[in-house]
Amino acid sequence: MEFGPVTAAAPDAVPAAQPSRLVDREPRVPADRLVAELVPPPHFDGVRFETYVPDPAQPSQSAAVAALRSFGATLAAPPPRRGLFRRSAPPEGRPGVYLDGGFGVGKTHLLASLWHASPGPKAFGTFVEVTNLVGALGFGATVEALGGHKLLCIDEFELDDPGDTVLVSTLLGRLVDSGVRLAATSNTLPGALGEGRFAAQDFLREIQGLSARFDVVRVDGEDYRHRGLPAAPEPGDDEDVARRAATTPGATLDRFDELLAHLGRVHPSRYGAMLDGVAAVHLLGVQPVSDQSAALRLVALVDRMYDRDVRVVTSGVPLDRLFPDELLRGGYRKKYLRAVSRIVALSRVAG
């Protein structure tokens, strides 16, 4: 048997690292993982009421801390049971508290602080994660999985279509009837959910039913991520971004257009799993996203990156120009602005 000549590598030669690509990842997430992961994301592991720093110029922030502390105190003792399976509602106040305010005022910090301060069993998830759980388990199994909890925290509460409106209204009604207390955050008052997205007046009963379950706590202020900070960092060039990806442990490197296409093939409930083990996302050729469906999928990915403190390095247009004016004038304006706020913050950390 003959072999071809073997060429020895130079002793000091080090092969270039090849960063992985997000577009090669299509994770399958079992339903039990979806339930187990209903906890605050790593970014909020260490937050507590004591670590929230209210802006002295915004008294509503201190008031929100006090309101949530008071709400949490009612969870220490379970309400008396009524009948065989139902627990009576709390004697005073509504069964839910709803933090309303702009992006970057610390609503998620406060919601996670409430979760950390409360006794279990308890669950914490974004609105998308909760609705995805229903899709994975089915409605009845979701009620069974969450119905014994003392507290369900729902971050980024939004109603994007009529189906979600009816689903969430019914789910929360069943959970409240079983004694679950609710806490939620949103950029939209509960009575105005769905405005600018679909014919909300056709589902007014469901929307009003949702609103009736919450006491609203206003949190005013400016985006803390941008206080005293410059605009989005200048993007690098393709060669520089690729070089940084090759020398960064846990990095991924993708072309922006290819990643957008890939997000359309992966359910948003799996975006978090797609980021498993990823420390930094590097994107080549970032451009404004004018298609609304693609833009909303990108928003969901940015939220999962922010949850996990994944750094972002890009070439192309600056990240504060991700969404064109025609999208920012629409019903999802607050969603897009929140995503810009978060991805710019992640790019600053990357340096």
Side-chain angles (χ1 to χ4, degrees), residues 24-49:
D24 295 328
R25 299 181 173 208
E26 295 190 34
R28 296 290 182 264
V29 183
D32 57 352
R33 174 174 171 175
L34 294 176
V35 176
E37 290 185 345
L38 287 178
V39 298
H43 184 80
F44 298 97
D45 276 346
V47 303
R48 299 293 188 272
F49 288 128

Side-chain angles (χ1 to χ4, degrees), residues 77-97:
R81 290 189 174 275
R82 180 181 60 196
L84 292 177
F85 303 105
R86 294 160 63 94
R87 290 178 290 178
S88 63
E92 296 181 3
R94 296 180 180 180
V97 60

Side-chain angles (χ1 to χ4, degrees), residues 40-47 108 224-225 305-309 346:
H43 184 80
F44 298 97
D45 276 346
V47 303
T108 303
Y224 77 92
R225 290 180 288 262
M305 290 193 296
Y306 186 76
D307 289 345
R308 291 157 175 79
D309 292 320
L346 295 173

Side-chain angles (χ1 to χ4, degrees), residues 105-233:
V105 296
K107 300 188 304 297
T108 303
H109 183 136
L110 290 172
L111 188 68
S113 298
L114 173 66
W115 188 91
H116 285 300
S118 300
K122 53 192 175 181
F124 183 109
T126 65
F127 180 82
V128 170
E129 288 169 331
V130 172
T131 55
N132 287 339
L133 184 67
V134 178
L137 299 183
F139 184 86
T142 301
V143 172
E144 183 177 354
L146 300 178
H149 284 49
K150 288 183 171 63
L151 175 67
L152 171 62
C153 295
I154 305 177
D155 199 19
E156 302 161 14
F157 199 113
E158 299 189 37
L159 297 180
D160 296 339
D161 61 62
D164 281 349
T165 304
V166 176
L167 172 67
V168 173
S169 176
T170 306
L171 174 65
L172 297 188
R174 292 283 296 275
L175 293 178
V176 166
D177 284 346
S178 69
V180 180
R181 307 293 297 280
L182 308 172
T185 73
S186 181
N187 301 319
T188 305
L189 286 169
L193 288 165
E195 286 185 358
R197 299 176 174 90
F198 60 90
Q201 66 273 14
D202 295 340
F203 298 87
L204 191 59
R205 184 179 65 180
E206 285 80 7
I207 293 172
Q208 289 176 337
L210 283 171
S211 179
R213 302 187 189 282
F214 295 99
D215 287 320
V216 177
V217 175
R218 179 70 187 174
V219 188
D220 298 303
E222 61 178 316
D223 187 345
Y224 77 92
R225 290 180 288 262
H226 292 184
R227 290 177 192 167
L229 294 173

Side-chain angles (χ1 to χ4, degrees), residues 112 116 128 207 235 239 245 254 263 334:
H116 285 300
V128 170
I207 293 172
E239 183 178 349
D254 293 87
L263 294 180
K334 291 180 179 179

Side-chain angles (χ1 to χ4, degrees), residues 323-335:
F323 305 109
D325 289 343
E326 58 265 28
L327 290 187
L328 294 178
R329 288 193 295 265
Y332 298 103
R333 170 183 171 82
K334 291 180 179 179
K335 241 181 182 181

